[in-house]
Amino acid sequence: MSVLSRPYFHDEQAAFTFVEGIIWPQGPVCPHCGGVERISSIKPNPEKRVRYGLKKCGQCRQQFTVRVGTIFEESKLPMTKWLQAIFLMTASKKGVSAHQLHRTLEVTYKTAWFLAHRIREAMRSGDLAPFGSGGGAVEVDETYIGRNPDNQPKEGKKFRSGNMNCVMTLIDRNSGASKSIVVDRFDAATVGTILSENISLEARLMTDEHPLYGMLGYAFADHGRVTHSRDEYVSKQDRTVHTQTVEGFYSIFKRGMRGVYQHCAKKHLHRYAAEFDFRYSHRIANGYDDTQRAVKALEGVVGKRLTYRRPDQWAQA
């Protein structure tokens, strides 16, 4: 029996029941008034348009389904295809391209592209707990990928890392979680703000020899550095001082961005970074198999609408 043979991947009613069990574990909640009492189910009428999972709130008298207030709202796609897409994106270590989703799900490329971005929005974490709490080690590094349209070299000048998009990643060794941030300017002010907002002052900071980290590392309980320019990747004095974990994360991130997605505009890069962070933070080593990872993504669909146009841009579209 295959994972993809489960009923909620093929039967629409089973799909709604599965999603309701995750989003409403204590029973239905009206998204209009927040009521939990006197909510009744409306049976589908085969003579009219069938609306699976339709309910009515006895307090505000509004009708709703589990789609309302989630990334599924206003979508014409069957819930079964949403669940298939979520499973494919969460189970694939390096991601799934919109073209692959378009072919597999038999939807248009435009639908597949927007579908993938909505799922990435559900993967985005809102955790505020600082990394390194309790004196744990936090690895920090940066990488460069793609072309930065705001900073292209002048005619006759060489293309350098400063002309690329910069992504800065923090990894908490204790929790195994990662957090990646697209950085407009890799300078002391920007990096200092990111470190202070995301890392506990009692943490052990682990970085390479970049001078910016040397300037800012004093703020933390300990700062271990390795000098890559001298072929030092693990400190001989203290074997816990290295950045091997974050470099391993980047190896997956770059393989996915270059081999699967191939091109990403800067304005969308933060969503792709959130996707790789989600899969890395919920990998097998952290106790999540493919099904549990998909369920975790489903738990994040509430309150994260993503529309084609913002209301204030409607007249300009």
Side-chain angles (χ1 to χ4, degrees):
M1 185 69 74
S2 165
V3 171
L4 294 176
S5 65
R6 293 173 181 171
Y8 51 78
F9 285 129
H10 308 283
D11 180 77
E12 193 69 3
Q13 185 58 63
F16 268 87
T17 302
F18 178 71
V19 174
E20 288 171 2
I22 293 171
I23 297 179
W24 297 330
Q26 306 301 323
V29 179
C30 176
H32 303 292
C33 69
V36 295
E37 299 177 355
R38 298 166 55 201
I39 294 178
S40 57
S41 298
I42 300 176
K43 292 183 179 179
N45 186 350
E47 298 179 359
K48 298 182 180 180
R49 181 169 68 93
V50 176
R51 296 183 63 187
Y52 293 98
L54 185 62
K55 304 186 185 301
K56 184 174 183 179
C57 177
Q59 295 176 249
C60 66
R61 312 299 294 175
Q62 295 283 331
Q63 293 184 355
F64 63 94
T65 69
V66 74
R67 289 179 183 262
V68 178
T70 70
I71 63 171
F72 310 129
E73 189 170 350
E74 301 296 335
S75 170
K76 306 301 182 184
L77 274 182
M79 188 65 78
T80 51
K81 291 202 175 187
W82 272 103
L83 294 182
Q84 290 172 31
I86 289 173
F87 184 84
L88 289 172
M89 288 187 65
T90 55
S92 303
K93 190 173 184 179
K94 301 178 192 68
V96 179
S97 70
H99 267 296
Q100 185 65 53
L101 289 175
H102 143 66
R103 294 190 296 269
T104 303
L105 301 179
E106 297 183 333
V107 297
T108 66
Y109 173 68
K110 181 179 178 180
T111 296
W113 187 88
F114 190 49
L115 172 78
H117 273 299
R118 281 186 167 183
I119 295 172
R120 290 186 186 102
E121 181 68 8
M123 292 178 178
R124 179 175 55 83
S125 173
D127 295 342
L128 299 176
F131 283 7
S133 298
V138 179
E139 295 184 25
V140 180
D141 202 1
E142 78 287 342
T143 193
Y144 296 88
I145 190 166
R147 289 178 176 266
N148 184 348
D150 302 324
N151 189 18
Q152 286 302 289
K154 295 180 180 179
E155 189 175 351
K157 297 290 185 180
K158 288 185 177 180
F159 187 82
R160 302 180 183 277
S161 61
N163 306 124
M164 303 174 73
N165 298 314
C166 179
V167 178
M168 188 173 167
T169 300
L170 294 69
I171 292 188
D172 188 332
R173 283 190 196 164
N174 286 349
S175 66
S178 68
K179 184 171 185 178
S180 300
I181 302 155
V182 179
V183 179
D184 288 327
R185 292 178 59 86
F186 192 72
D187 55 21
T190 305
V191 174
T193 300
I194 291 173
L195 297 183
S196 63
E197 289 180 351
N198 294 280
I199 303 179
S200 171
L201 294 180
E202 58 187 349
R204 298 180 65 216
L205 187 67
M206 302 293 166
T207 70
D208 57 22
E209 73 272 29
H210 197 290
L212 278 184
Y213 300 132
M215 293 167 53
L216 302 167
Y218 71 90
F220 301 95
D222 185 29
H223 182 198
R225 303 173 70 187
V226 287
T227 309
H228 290 167
S229 60
R230 297 179 183 174
D231 292 331
E232 181 189 34
Y233 297 95
V234 180
S235 172
K236 295 179 181 179
Q237 289 74 33
D238 184 350
R239 305 299 289 180
T240 66
V241 176
H242 61 79
T243 57
Q244 302 284 66
T245 315
V246 68
E247 286 162 11
F249 170 85
Y250 280 145
S251 71
I252 298 171
F253 176 68
K254 289 185 176 181
R255 285 188 180 99
M257 294 303 297
R258 293 172 179 169
V260 177
Y261 297 123
Q262 299 182 24
H263 170 74
C264 173
K266 181 182 178 181
K267 63 182 178 181
H268 298 305
L269 185 55
H270 67 288
R271 298 197 191 282
Y272 288 88
E275 174 189 354
F276 282 90
D277 281 339
F278 176 85
R279 281 195 297 265
Y280 187 85
S281 300
H282 300 92
R283 62 194 186 280
I284 290 289
N286 285 351
Y288 291 87
D289 61 21
D290 290 346
T291 300
Q292 292 169 324
R293 196 178 308 115
V295 169
K296 192 68 179 177
L298 270 172
E299 292 174 356
V301 304
V302 180
K304 293 181 180 177
R305 287 296 311 282
L306 192 63
T307 58
Y308 278 111
R309 303 179 182 93
R310 295 206 313 264
D312 60 347
Q313 294 179 332
W314 184 264
Q316 303 169 1

